[in-house]
Structures are given as C-alpha cells and as structure tokens.
Amino acid sequence: MNYIDLTVEDEKKPLILQRADPFVYYHTDGYYYFTASTPEYDRIELRRAWSLKALKDAEPLVIWRKHSTGPMSYHIWAPELHFINGKWYIYFAAGRNEDPWWIRTWVLENSSADPFAGTWEEKGQIIPEWDSFMLDMTVFEHKEKLYAVWAQKRKEKTENSALYIAQMENPYTLKGPQTLLTIPEYDWECRGFKVNEGPAILKRNGKIFLTYSASATDASYCMGLLSADENADLLDSASWSKQSEPVLTTDVNAKIFGPGHNSFTTSRDGKTDYLIYHARPYAEVNLDFALYDPNRHTWIKKIEYDTNGFPKFMN
C-alpha cells in the first residue's frame, strides 16, 4: 500500500483547519487517530486515517457531547486519546454552565478494540491533592508505571497554571503525591497570563522530554521544554531540567502565530518524529476573546535532533 509522505511544503500550511490542542495517536492497527478542541467547545470528535496527511479529509465521528448542566457542560477542551491495558481512554477538561471557568479534568473509557465502536463510559473526574482549576492532562507509561502530567492552579494562586506530575493507580485515578515540575517564571511564560499548560511527552535518546505551552493564547503563545534522564526518579523535581528560552515561537515570515499545545507522533516506520501543534495564520486577536477565535489550526512539523540528542523545533 502506498502512503503519502509529508513534505517540507506540508509544514507551511495547516494540516487541519479550526482544530486547536491537537492530539495524534498512532496505533498498532495501522491507523493514525486524531482528536482536538472544536471551535464550539461542545463535543469530542475522533477521526482516523492510514496516513497523517489523510487526516485532513477524514470524516469526524462525534463520540461524546457535553452535558446540558452541571459538570462537563461547558468549555470542552483538549481531549487526548490513549490506549492503556487493552482499553481506550480520553482525557479532557471541562467547565460547567453555572461556572464556565470551573475547569476540571475528566475521563472516558471504551473497552472495545475499535474506538469507533463500543461504548464510551464516563469514568468521572480525576481528583488531585487539592481542588482547583485543572486541565490538559496527558499520560504516559515508563518502566511499567503509568504517569500523568497536567496543568493546575497552585494553592498559592499566584499563576494561572503550573505543571504537575504524579503516578497513577489506574488510568482514571491518581496515586499521589503530585510533584510540581514548573511554574511560569520567565518573561516569555508570563505574557498576557502566567501560564504553563499543554504538556506532551517525547521519549528519545535516553531522555524524557516534556514540552509545554506558555503565556496567553495570542501571538505570545509559545513552547517550553523540560527534560529528564530516562533512569531518573520522575517524581523528583530535581530530576528535571528546564530550558530558559522557548523552543518554538511565532514565525512572522511563515505566518505561524502563537504555536503551542502540541502532541507527538511518528512515521509508520518509526524513523521520523513529528510535532503536531496549533497556531493561527495571523497575529491580530483580541486577548479577551482569543479562546473564541476559531482559527487556531492544526499544523505539523518534522523533528530534527541536535548533537546532544535534544529535539529541535525551530529552523
């Protein structure tokens, strides 16, 4: 079967229009699965294709819709699809009609081998050590342990969000304790809002790389990077090193503004890694309404590595 390879030209234009917080999962069945925030923030969709490029024209399937009231009734954000111990899980953030900014993290489960079939069951809320604004959870397995990384407002409430890591008891329960990994501290993390969010994990070259997004969701939005040795104690904050400069920022010449909230995937042969992220094709956006501007599109970029084995996201 002939699969269409991505080219440099494909990096210069959006892969999928009006889909923010994109997440791609390449499964053993040969499909690339895609989910993201929709502009209406009212549902969770899945699409799949045999190639990354074909995701653009793949027919979306709505697998869940927001509730009419109460929890999970507003701001359905940043779904991620994961296959864990033979079952499918979707992690997502949601508010409620009565309080749109009461954002918390929730889980759906599907025991079918095919996520387009079976039943998506609501497993409930992910409960951290304290109750506060919480979103953008990702999970990953390492050395037979399951970990979660997410963004949450600290008890001190001095920033909009910081990043935490914890081990998981199962795919819908945190084991604790949770460890603070990073807070917004550099200027590029504090433009408009003090934000660290949208974590994503890439395991390569003896390292665990954790990308995240920072600042307001306008042209200031950008990506930062943490890294840890693959043999380190991932629940020890001292195991993680944080880069003092962003690793992906607005490219005015390419007309890619506010890149961030990414995920990672690979070519079918596993030899090429790709960054999947969202950005706008223009800079002008009202910060008060930036989240309701629908034109955060999904883009894709081939990842190169430097001599130290670190990913390079900017040309």
Side-chain angles (χ1 to χ4, degrees):
M1 189 175 292
N2 183 30
Y3 300 104
I4 301 172
D5 291 327
L6 289 155
T7 67
V8 174
E9 290 302 311
D10 292 317
E11 298 185 8
K12 298 179 180 179
K13 57 188 177 183
L15 178 68
I16 301 173
L17 298 179
Q18 295 191 343
R19 289 297 181 268
D21 314 319
F23 188 85
V24 172
Y25 180 82
Y26 180 49
H27 192 45
T28 53
D29 63 4
Y31 277 115
Y32 286 96
Y33 289 86
F34 175 87
T35 188
S37 298
T38 65
E40 299 81 8
Y41 299 147
D42 65 350
R43 64 192 185 275
I44 297 176
E45 295 178 344
L46 292 180
R47 64 176 75 183
R48 64 185 173 187
W50 291 106
S51 71
L52 286 166
K53 199 167 186 175
L55 286 170
K56 177 180 180 179
D57 300 315
E59 186 69 25
L61 173 70
V62 177
I63 60 96
W64 183 89
R65 291 189 182 275
K66 70 177 184 178
H67 293 197
S68 57
T69 60
M72 297 184 284
S73 62
Y74 208 87
H75 281 158
I76 309 304
W77 286 348
E80 288 198 5
L81 176 71
H82 295 268
F83 189 72
I84 306 168
N85 297 332
K87 295 182 180 181
W88 292 97
Y89 293 89
I90 289 179
Y91 300 85
F92 66 101
R96 52 190 181 190
N97 273 327
E98 304 82 355
D99 185 357
W101 297 102
W102 187 84
I103 304 292
R104 302 297 187 271
T105 297
W106 308 83
V107 188
L108 306 177
E109 180 189 72
N110 189 340
S111 59
S112 172
D114 180 358
F116 276 51
T119 301
W120 285 96
E121 176 187 353
E122 295 176 2
K123 298 299 289 185
Q125 184 182 346
I126 296 282
I127 305 297
E129 288 184 13
W130 63 91
D131 184 52
S132 66
F133 181 88
M134 178 183 179
L135 73 169
D136 295 352
M137 177 169 284
T138 193
V139 301
F140 68 100
E141 295 179 83
H142 187 61
K143 295 186 181 297
E144 300 183 347
K145 294 180 180 178
L146 184 64
Y147 295 90
V149 184
W150 69 94
Q152 186 177 0
K153 186 179 285 290
R154 291 201 295 164
K155 292 179 180 178
E156 295 83 353
K157 298 183 178 180
T158 50
E159 310 89 14
N160 296 84
S161 60
L163 289 187
Y164 290 88
I165 188 172
Q167 198 174 331
M168 303 192 81
E169 187 71 39
N170 56 49
Y172 43 88
T173 309
L174 294 177
K175 186 174 182 179
Q178 63 188 64
T179 299
L180 177 66
L181 291 181
T182 171
I183 63 172
E185 55 188 314
Y186 299 113
D187 171 73
W188 54 270
E189 299 176 292
C190 301
R191 294 172 183 166
F193 296 104
K194 296 179 179 180
V195 168
N196 283 174
E197 64 181 17
I201 296 292
L202 175 66
K203 297 198 289 184
R204 288 291 182 271
N205 306 324
K207 296 279 189 180
I208 298 180
F209 299 105
L210 192 163
T211 55
Y212 65 95
S213 299
S215 288
T217 56
D218 57 6
S220 301
Y221 208 54
C222 60
M223 276 172 44
L225 181 67
L226 303 176
S227 60
D229 186 274
E230 65 180 1
N231 296 315
D233 178 0
L234 302 183
L235 299 180
D236 182 355
S237 60
S239 298
W240 295 88
S241 298
K242 179 177 178 177
Q243 293 200 11
S244 60
E245 298 293 335
V247 294
L248 185 64
T249 60
T250 286
D251 185 337
V252 175
N253 293 330
K255 296 184 179 179
I256 298 175
F257 297 89
H261 202 130
N262 68 287
S263 60
F264 296 104
T265 193
T266 69
S267 58
R268 296 184 69 87
D269 61 9
K271 295 180 180 179
T272 303
D273 293 324
Y274 290 102
L275 173 74
I276 314 292
Y277 66 100
H278 76 229
R280 287 190 181 87
Y282 49 80
E284 297 76 20
V285 61
N286 185 327
L287 189 54
D288 292 333
F289 300 99
L291 285 172
Y292 307 104
D293 178 316
N295 292 318
R296 290 186 295 170
H297 305 322
T298 295
W299 302 67
I300 189 165
K301 187 178 181 65
K302 181 180 177 181
I303 301 172
E304 304 287 353
Y305 292 88
D306 66 19
T307 54
N308 294 315
F310 276 64
K312 298 190 296 182
F313 302 112
M314 288 193 285
N315 295 329

